[in-house]
Amino acid sequence: MTLRLYNTLTRSLDEFRPIREGRVGVYACGPTVYRPPHIGNFRTFLFNDLLHRYLEWKGYAVTFVMNLTDVEDKIIAEAAARDLHIGDVTAPVTAAFEADLRTLDIRPVDVHPRATEHIDAMVSLVGRLLENGHAYEKGGTVYFDISSFPQYGRLARIEAQDVRAGAGLAARAGGIDADEYEKGDARDFALWKAARDDDRRAGAAWPTPWGEGRPGWHIECSAMSMQVLGETFDIHTGGEDLVFPHHEDEIAQSEGATGQPFAHYWLHVKHLLVDGEKMSKSKRNDYTIAQLLELGHQPSAVRYLLLSAQYRKELNFSFDGLGAARTSLQRLLDFERRLADAPTRADAPLSALPRLATRMLTEFEAALDDDLNTPAALAALFNFVREANAELDRDQPLDQGAIGAARSALQRADDALGVLALARMESQAVDDEFGSWVEQRIEARRLARESRDFATADRIRDELKQRGVVLEDTPRGVRWRRG
Ligand code: AMP
Ligand code: ZN
């Protein structure tokens, strides 16, 4: 079965054909590490994770690259305001981001380039553009000459004469910095920016043949992606706000320098809404993962909710939605437990489970092949859970093979989604915590009995009983089980 992806470049659902048979190179725009990413960013990062997992699920050898933007105007402004080096701003935010990736069980990417470690590649790319006439320098700042690149605007479907208006719109939406465009002729954008005092103080100024300065945000991604994946690669992703100008400019810079096509497929994730509204600091609805955990929510529910809508469809994040995600995950956990506990018999009659499992995986794959349609994939999975539960309700012993087929189909589907594995780890952790609390209470009861304080010992027994724990006195000490 073939994977089809909606390509912003062609505005159509295109069959995915990698450049090299069996191999895929993906570049995802990573976070700007000046403050911890919010759940909106994580909609995009979880989409990347789904894409990463699913390409591997389909058997491709994947090189997945996600950068860290660790030098950029917002970072420098933050460093300048606090009289810090940019590294002092980005190190704690990067550490928190990496912790969030682990919390949500986002698979590690293969290459995680940091912009500050690839300045040489950026300088050389700007140098190539100056040499071949696509760029010009003015007062130490280097601009890309849009008039030298007639294809400019192809990705965003913006005509060259509308670039100024497009830039204005993006700037008002908070997408780009005013100083990115050349004063006077707003059409050209900066590849490299001349150093200011703030940049030098913040350690964000590097020497170049045309003077000291810092890279523009767009050139960072062009340089890092091509350095790792080559001049032409398969897939480039980001949130929908990056289509213009960030990705448009990446294409102009990269193709202007190499004369080769840059990325073949451009995938963009629709912005997350929170309680039906755009996220914003002033509305305080731009939650971080850490904040959600503090409120007692489980990472698996966050992961499930953010993956539950197809990535180009509207998704509204709400606490009700998190609750519903939790319920769905519990159904999967219960089903998994039920399969593990189901009675088996070697000569059991033929069961429908293997057939149901095979059908689910076929439907599941067809759904994800259709531009990663997660709601359809989840529908196939839950349909299977319902039908298999009906089969288990018959209370007939099953043969080990039938149970095995159902368990491995569940596991195989979750290899792509990664929701059940996370929920399982969480419920194990809860069990462990509960278990050690019970052990502590049993020891307290033993000590109370040793000192003949039977009132306390009985109270502890009642307390445990209330929490569903049944104690059994055995010759080898007290055993407990859930009643
Ligand atoms: P940034 O750190 O702002 O560069 O953003 C990191 C990634 O998150 C980019 O791919 C953005 O397009 C994406 N992003 C930003 N806001 C949202 C949102 N509300 N929903 C989904 N993705 C977003
Ligand atoms: Zn980027």
Side-chain angles (χ1 to χ4, degrees):
M1 289 196 276
T2 37
L3 172 61
R4 292 157 80 85
L5 297 168
Y6 184 83
N7 189 351
T8 307
L9 199 58
T10 59
R11 296 287 195 279
S12 63
L13 208 54
D14 293 345
E15 197 169 288
F16 177 64
R17 291 217 191 87
I19 296 165
R20 286 191 296 159
E21 181 84 28
R23 300 187 159 271
V24 187
V26 188
Y27 183 87
C29 287
T32 304
V33 279
Y34 74 110
R35 63 167 187 224
H38 51 60
I39 43 172
N41 302 127
F42 278 100
R43 179 180 196 191
T44 294
F45 299 140
L46 280 167
F47 162 74
N48 287 330
D49 189 44
L50 175 71
L51 177 68
H52 187 178
R53 285 167 181 256
Y54 192 58
L55 288 166
E56 287 181 348
W57 202 93
K58 298 280 288 178
Y60 290 110
V62 183
T63 305
F64 208 103
V65 185
M66 184 176 74
N67 74 296
L68 281 177
T69 302
D70 64 350
V71 50
E72 197 262 356
D73 288 359
K74 290 196 284 278
I75 297 171
I76 297 169
E78 181 80 19
R82 293 160 56 196
D83 207 14
L84 295 173
H85 186 279
I86 48 169
D88 299 325
V89 172
T90 59
V93 178
T94 302
F97 172 61
E98 286 171 349
D100 289 345
L101 294 176
R102 285 191 296 273
T103 298
L104 294 176
D105 205 15
I106 290 177
R107 211 165 266 186
V109 293
D110 302 290
V111 192
H112 214 167
R114 290 160 194 246
T116 50
E117 290 168 4
H118 295 267
I119 300 291
D120 287 353
M122 296 165 202
V123 172
S124 102
L125 192 56
V126 175
R128 271 168 94 176
L129 290 164
L130 278 168
E131 254 165 53
N132 71 12
H134 281 299
Y136 58 92
E137 183 252 301
K138 234 184 202 179
T141 291
V142 182
Y143 295 95
F144 186 87
D145 176 5
I146 292 181
S147 68
S148 74
F149 192 74
Q151 308 92 299
Y152 191 84
R154 192 159 70 104
L155 180 74
R157 303 274 164 114
I158 288 180
E159 296 295 331
Q161 66 269 21
D162 296 334
V163 168
R164 182 196 287 263
L169 279 178
R172 273 201 293 284
I176 52 170
D177 310 310
D179 78 337
E180 200 144 297
Y181 281 77
E182 206 209 336
K183 319 282 182 291
D185 181 1
R187 290 188 42 187
D188 292 339
F189 62 89
L191 297 168
W192 187 269
K193 300 174 185 183
R196 305 161 303 181
D197 286 344
D198 273 356
D199 304 332
R200 292 194 189 91
R201 268 200 304 274
W206 289 267
T208 73
W210 52 89
E212 215 185 9
R214 65 193 197 280
W217 174 36
H218 317 309
I219 202 77
E220 295 183 5
C221 283
S222 281
M224 288 185 275
S225 59
M226 293 198 292
Q227 199 172 41
V228 182
L229 296 170
E231 294 182 350
T232 304
F233 56 90
D234 298 294
I235 303 177
H236 196 312
T237 74
E240 61 179 352
D241 57 316
L242 302 191
V243 175
F244 186 84
H246 187 53
H247 291 163
E248 192 68 61
D249 291 353
E250 276 190 51
I251 294 175
Q253 300 159 157
S254 307
E255 299 191 357
T258 68
Q260 301 297 322
F262 182 45
H264 283 181
Y265 300 84
W266 288 85
L267 313 186
H268 291 103
V269 182
K270 195 171 174 72
H271 268 197
L272 181 73
L273 298 176
V274 176
D275 291 327
E277 300 192 63
K278 257 188 90 155
M279 249 181 301
S280 75
K281 252 196 147 108
S282 59
K283 289 190 193 121
R284 293 170 156 236
N285 63 359
D286 58 340
Y287 304 108
T288 62
I289 299 301
Q291 283 168 339
L292 293 176
L293 298 191
E294 260 167 44
L295 291 170
H297 297 288
Q298 277 156 322
S300 60
V302 177
R303 183 177 173 102
Y304 187 101
L305 178 56
L306 291 178
L307 284 175
S308 63
Q310 199 261 0
Y311 73 96
R312 291 191 300 117
K313 295 272 157 49
E314 189 164 298
L315 173 59
N316 185 29
F317 184 95
S318 68
F319 291 106
D320 284 350
L322 272 185
R326 184 70 230 140
T327 307
S328 301
L329 286 166
Q330 192 58 49
R331 263 173 73 200
L332 293 180
L333 284 171
D334 291 345
F335 175 59
E336 188 176 50
R337 174 113 307 272
R338 215 173 159 198
L339 286 173
D341 293 345
T344 57
R345 204 175 70 200
D347 61 344
L350 215 59
S351 152
L353 281 184
R355 182 179 52 79
L356 297 175
T358 306
R359 200 187 65 200
M360 181 274 280
L361 283 179
T362 307
E363 290 171 1
F364 184 87
E365 183 169 6
L368 292 183
D369 274 348
D370 179 20
D371 200 23
L372 298 163
N373 188 341
T374 44
L378 286 168
L381 181 57
F382 280 100
N383 198 24
F384 168 62
V385 172
R386 192 173 44 76
E387 289 173 334
N389 269 327
E391 192 66 15
L392 295 169
D393 285 343
R394 295 171 57 208
D395 267 341
Q396 304 274 1
L398 294 158
D399 79 275
Q400 200 65 52
I403 298 280
R407 291 178 79 173
S408 61
L410 184 63
Q411 182 59 50
R412 173 95 176 116
D414 196 57
D415 285 344
L417 300 174
V419 290
L420 178 58
L422 195 52
R424 203 189 288 132
M425 276 191 296
E426 288 161 4
S427 98
Q428 185 63 50
V430 170
D431 283 353
D432 291 350
E433 203 181 312
F434 184 72
S436 52
W437 175 80
V438 173
E439 301 289 347
Q440 267 174 17
R441 299 313 288 149
I442 290 175
E443 177 61 9
R445 178 169 166 267
R446 191 186 64 77
L447 292 174
R449 292 210 320 188
E450 217 171 63
S451 54
R452 313 196 67 75
D453 178 0
F454 296 111
T456 302
D458 288 349
R459 213 185 52 241
I460 293 173
R461 177 182 276 270
D462 290 346
E463 183 188 1
L464 287 166
K465 197 172 158 197
Q466 263 182 8
R467 301 282 299 266
V469 177
V470 178
L471 299 183
E472 282 161 16
D473 290 303
T474 75
R476 279 183 292 133
V478 178
R479 290 283 183 83
W480 69 276
R481 61 177 169 84
R482 286 185 195 258

Coordinates of all heavy atoms in Angstrom, one line a residue, residues 39-53 66 100-101 103-107 269 289 299-308 311 374 416-419 422:
I39 N 1.8 23.7 24.1 CA 1.1 22.5 23.5 C 0.9 22.6 22.0 O 0.8 21.6 21.3 CB -0.2 22.1 24.3 CG1 -1.0 23.4 24.5 CG2 0.1 21.3 25.5 CD1 -2.4 23.0 25.0
G40 N 0.8 23.9 21.6 CA 0.6 24.1 20.1 C 1.8 23.6 19.4 O 1.7 22.8 18.4
N41 N 3.0 24.0 19.9 CA 4.3 23.5 19.3 C 4.3 21.9 19.3 O 4.7 21.3 18.4 CB 5.5 24.0 20.1 CG 5.6 25.5 20.1 OD1 5.7 26.1 21.1 ND2 5.5 26.1 18.9
F42 N 3.7 21.4 20.4 CA 3.8 19.9 20.5 C 2.8 19.2 19.6 O 3.0 18.1 19.3 CB 3.6 19.5 22.0 CG 5.0 19.6 22.7 CD1 5.3 20.6 23.5 CD2 5.9 18.6 22.5 CE1 6.5 20.7 24.1 CE2 7.2 18.7 23.0 CZ 7.5 19.8 23.9
R43 N 1.8 20.0 19.2 CA 0.9 19.3 18.1 C 1.9 19.1 16.9 O 1.8 18.0 16.3 CB -0.2 20.2 17.7 CG -1.0 19.6 16.6 CD -2.2 20.3 16.0 NE -3.0 19.3 15.3 CZ -4.1 19.6 14.5 NH1 -4.4 20.9 14.4 NH2 -4.7 18.6 13.9
T44 N 2.7 20.0 16.6 CA 3.6 19.9 15.4 C 4.6 18.8 15.7 O 4.9 18.0 14.9 CB 4.2 21.2 15.1 OG1 3.1 22.1 14.6 CG2 5.2 21.1 14.0
F45 N 5.2 18.9 16.9 CA 6.3 17.9 17.2 C 5.8 16.5 17.3 O 6.4 15.5 16.9 CB 7.0 18.3 18.5 CG 7.7 19.6 18.4 CD1 7.7 20.5 19.5 CD2 8.3 20.1 17.2 CE1 8.2 21.8 19.4 CE2 8.9 21.3 17.1 CZ 8.9 22.2 18.2
L46 N 4.5 16.3 17.8 CA 3.9 15.0 17.8 C 3.6 14.5 16.4 O 3.7 13.3 16.1 CB 2.7 14.9 18.7 CG 3.1 14.8 20.2 CD1 1.9 15.1 21.1 CD2 3.6 13.4 20.5
F47 N 3.2 15.4 15.6 CA 3.0 15.0 14.2 C 4.3 14.5 13.6 O 4.3 13.5 12.9 CB 2.4 16.2 13.3 CG 2.6 16.0 11.9 CD1 1.7 15.1 11.2 CD2 3.6 16.6 11.1 CE1 1.9 14.8 9.8 CE2 3.8 16.3 9.8 CZ 3.0 15.4 9.2
N48 N 5.4 15.2 13.8 CA 6.7 14.8 13.3 C 7.0 13.4 13.8 O 7.5 12.5 13.1 CB 7.8 15.7 13.8 CG 7.8 17.1 13.1 OD1 7.4 17.2 12.0 ND2 8.2 18.1 13.8
D49 N 6.6 13.1 15.1 CA 6.9 11.8 15.7 C 6.1 10.7 15.0 O 6.6 9.7 14.7 CB 6.6 11.9 17.2 CG 7.1 10.6 17.9 OD1 8.2 10.1 17.6 OD2 6.3 10.0 18.7
L50 N 4.8 11.1 14.7 CA 4.0 10.1 14.0 C 4.5 9.8 12.6 O 4.6 8.7 12.2 CB 2.5 10.7 13.9 CG 1.6 9.9 13.1 CD1 1.2 8.6 13.9 CD2 0.3 10.7 12.8
L51 N 4.9 10.9 11.9 CA 5.5 10.7 10.6 C 6.8 9.8 10.7 O 7.0 8.9 9.9 CB 5.9 12.1 10.0 CG 6.5 12.1 8.6 CD1 5.6 11.6 7.6 CD2 7.0 13.5 8.3
H52 N 7.6 10.1 11.6 CA 8.9 9.4 11.8 C 8.6 7.9 12.1 O 9.1 7.0 11.4 CB 9.6 10.0 13.1 CG 10.9 9.5 13.3 ND1 11.7 9.9 14.4 CD2 11.7 8.5 12.7 CE1 12.9 9.2 14.4 NE2 12.9 8.4 13.4
R53 N 7.7 7.6 13.0 CA 7.3 6.3 13.4 C 6.7 5.6 12.2 O 6.9 4.4 11.9 CB 6.3 6.2 14.5 CG 6.9 6.5 15.9 CD 5.8 6.8 16.9 NE 6.3 7.1 18.2 CZ 6.3 6.3 19.2 NH1 5.8 5.0 19.1 NH2 6.8 6.6 20.4
M66 N 15.8 17.2 13.2 CA 15.1 18.3 13.8 C 16.1 19.3 14.4 O 16.9 18.9 15.3 CB 14.0 17.9 14.8 CG 13.3 19.2 15.2 SD 11.9 18.8 16.4 CE 12.8 18.4 17.8
D100 N 10.6 17.3 27.9 CA 9.2 17.2 27.4 C 9.1 16.1 26.3 O 8.1 15.4 26.2 CB 8.7 18.5 26.8 CG 8.4 19.6 27.9 OD1 8.3 19.2 29.0 OD2 8.3 20.7 27.5
L101 N 10.2 16.0 25.5 CA 10.2 15.0 24.4 C 10.1 13.6 25.0 O 9.4 12.8 24.6 CB 11.5 15.2 23.5 CG 11.6 16.4 22.7 CD1 12.9 16.5 22.0 CD2 10.5 16.5 21.7
T103 N 9.0 12.9 28.1 CA 7.7 12.7 28.8 C 6.7 12.2 27.8 O 5.8 11.4 28.1 CB 7.3 14.1 29.4 OG1 8.3 14.5 30.3 CG2 5.9 14.0 30.0
L104 N 6.7 12.8 26.6 CA 5.6 12.4 25.6 C 6.0 11.2 24.8 O 5.4 10.9 23.8 CB 5.3 13.6 24.7 CG 4.7 14.8 25.4 CD1 4.5 16.0 24.5 CD2 3.3 14.4 26.0
D105 N 7.2 10.6 25.1 CA 7.7 9.5 24.4 C 7.9 9.7 22.9 O 7.5 8.9 22.1 CB 6.8 8.2 24.6 CG 7.5 6.9 24.4 OD1 8.8 7.0 24.4 OD2 6.9 5.9 24.3
I106 N 8.4 10.9 22.6 CA 8.7 11.3 21.2 C 10.0 10.6 20.9 O 11.0 10.8 21.6 CB 8.7 12.8 21.0 CG1 7.3 13.4 21.2 CG2 9.4 13.2 19.7 CD1 7.1 14.9 21.1
R107 N 10.0 9.9 19.8 CA 11.2 9.1 19.5 C 12.4 10.0 19.2 O 12.2 11.0 18.5 CB 10.9 8.3 18.3 CG 11.7 7.0 18.2 CD 11.1 6.1 17.2 NE 10.1 5.2 17.8 CZ 9.6 4.2 17.1 NH1 9.8 4.0 15.9 NH2 8.7 3.4 17.7
V269 N 1.4 21.6 9.5 CA 0.5 21.2 10.6 C -0.4 22.4 10.9 O 0.1 23.5 11.2 CB 1.2 20.7 11.8 CG1 0.2 20.3 12.9 CG2 2.2 19.6 11.5
I289 N 3.9 21.6 28.7 CA 3.7 20.3 29.1 C 3.9 20.2 30.7 O 3.1 19.6 31.4 CB 4.8 19.3 28.5 CG1 4.6 19.3 26.9 CG2 4.6 17.9 29.0 CD1 3.2 18.9 26.4
P299 N 0.8 12.4 30.6 CA 1.4 12.6 29.3 C 0.7 11.8 28.2 O 0.5 12.3 27.1 CB 2.8 12.1 29.5 CG 3.1 12.3 31.0 CD 1.8 12.0 31.7
S300 N 0.3 10.6 28.6 CA -0.4 9.7 27.5 C -1.6 10.4 27.0 O -2.0 10.3 25.8 CB -0.7 8.3 28.1 OG -1.5 8.4 29.2
A301 N -2.4 11.0 27.9 CA -3.6 11.7 27.5 C -3.3 12.9 26.6 O -4.0 13.1 25.6 CB -4.5 12.1 28.7
V302 N -2.3 13.6 26.9 CA -1.9 14.8 26.1 C -1.4 14.3 24.7 O -1.9 14.8 23.7 CB -0.7 15.5 26.8 CG1 -0.2 16.7 25.9 CG2 -1.1 16.0 28.1
R303 N -0.6 13.2 24.7 CA -0.2 12.6 23.4 C -1.4 12.2 22.6 O -1.5 12.5 21.4 CB 0.8 11.5 23.7 CG 1.3 10.9 22.5 CD 2.3 9.7 22.7 NE 2.6 9.2 21.4 CZ 3.7 9.4 20.7 NH1 4.7 10.1 21.2 NH2 3.9 8.9 19.5
Y304 N -2.3 11.5 23.2 CA -3.5 10.9 22.5 C -4.3 12.1 21.9 O -4.7 12.0 20.8 CB -4.3 10.1 23.5 CG -5.5 9.4 22.8 CD1 -5.3 8.0 22.5 CD2 -6.6 10.0 22.5 CE1 -6.4 7.3 21.9 CE2 -7.7 9.4 21.9 CZ -7.5 8.0 21.6 OH -8.6 7.4 21.0
L305 N -4.6 13.1 22.8 CA -5.4 14.2 22.3 C -4.8 14.9 21.1 O -5.5 15.2 20.1 CB -5.7 15.1 23.5 CG -6.6 16.4 23.2 CD1 -7.9 16.0 22.5 CD2 -6.8 17.2 24.4
L306 N -3.5 15.2 21.3 CA -2.8 16.0 20.2 C -2.7 15.2 18.9 O -2.6 15.7 17.8 CB -1.5 16.5 20.7 CG -1.6 17.6 21.8 CD1 -0.2 18.0 22.2 CD2 -2.3 18.8 21.3
L307 N -2.8 13.8 19.0 CA -2.7 13.0 17.8 C -4.1 12.6 17.2 O -4.2 12.0 16.2 CB -1.9 11.7 18.0 CG -0.4 11.9 18.1 CD1 0.3 10.6 18.5 CD2 0.2 12.4 16.8
S308 N -5.1 12.9 18.0 CA -6.4 12.4 17.7 C -7.1 13.0 16.4 O -8.0 12.4 15.9 CB -7.3 12.4 18.9 OG -7.6 13.7 19.2
Y311 N -3.7 15.9 11.0 CA -2.8 17.1 11.3 C -3.2 18.3 10.5 O -2.8 19.4 10.9 CB -1.4 16.7 11.0 CG -1.0 16.5 9.6 CD1 -0.4 17.6 8.8 CD2 -1.2 15.3 8.9 CE1 -0.1 17.5 7.5 CE2 -0.9 15.2 7.6 CZ -0.3 16.3 6.9 OH 0.0 16.1 5.5
T374 N -5.2 10.0 11.4 CA -5.2 9.3 12.7 C -6.7 9.0 13.2 O -6.8 8.0 13.8 CB -4.5 10.1 13.7 OG1 -4.8 11.5 13.6 CG2 -3.0 10.0 13.6
A416 N 3.1 2.6 15.8 CA 2.9 3.9 15.0 C 2.4 5.0 15.9 O 2.8 6.1 15.7 CB 2.0 3.6 13.8
L417 N 1.5 4.7 16.8 CA 0.9 5.8 17.6 C 1.6 6.1 18.9 O 1.6 7.3 19.3 CB -0.6 5.4 17.9 CG -1.5 5.1 16.8 CD1 -2.9 4.6 17.3 CD2 -1.7 6.4 15.9
G418 N 2.1 5.1 19.5 CA 2.9 5.3 20.8 C 2.0 5.8 21.9 O 2.5 6.5 22.8
V419 N 0.7 5.5 21.9 CA -0.1 6.0 23.0 C -0.3 4.9 24.1 O -0.2 5.2 25.3 CB -1.5 6.5 22.6 CG1 -1.4 7.8 21.8 CG2 -2.2 5.4 21.7
L422 N 2.9 4.4 26.4 CA 3.0 5.5 27.4 C 2.1 5.3 28.5 O 2.4 5.3 29.7 CB 2.8 6.8 26.7 CG 3.3 8.1 27.4 CD1 4.7 8.0 27.9 CD2 3.1 9.3 26.5

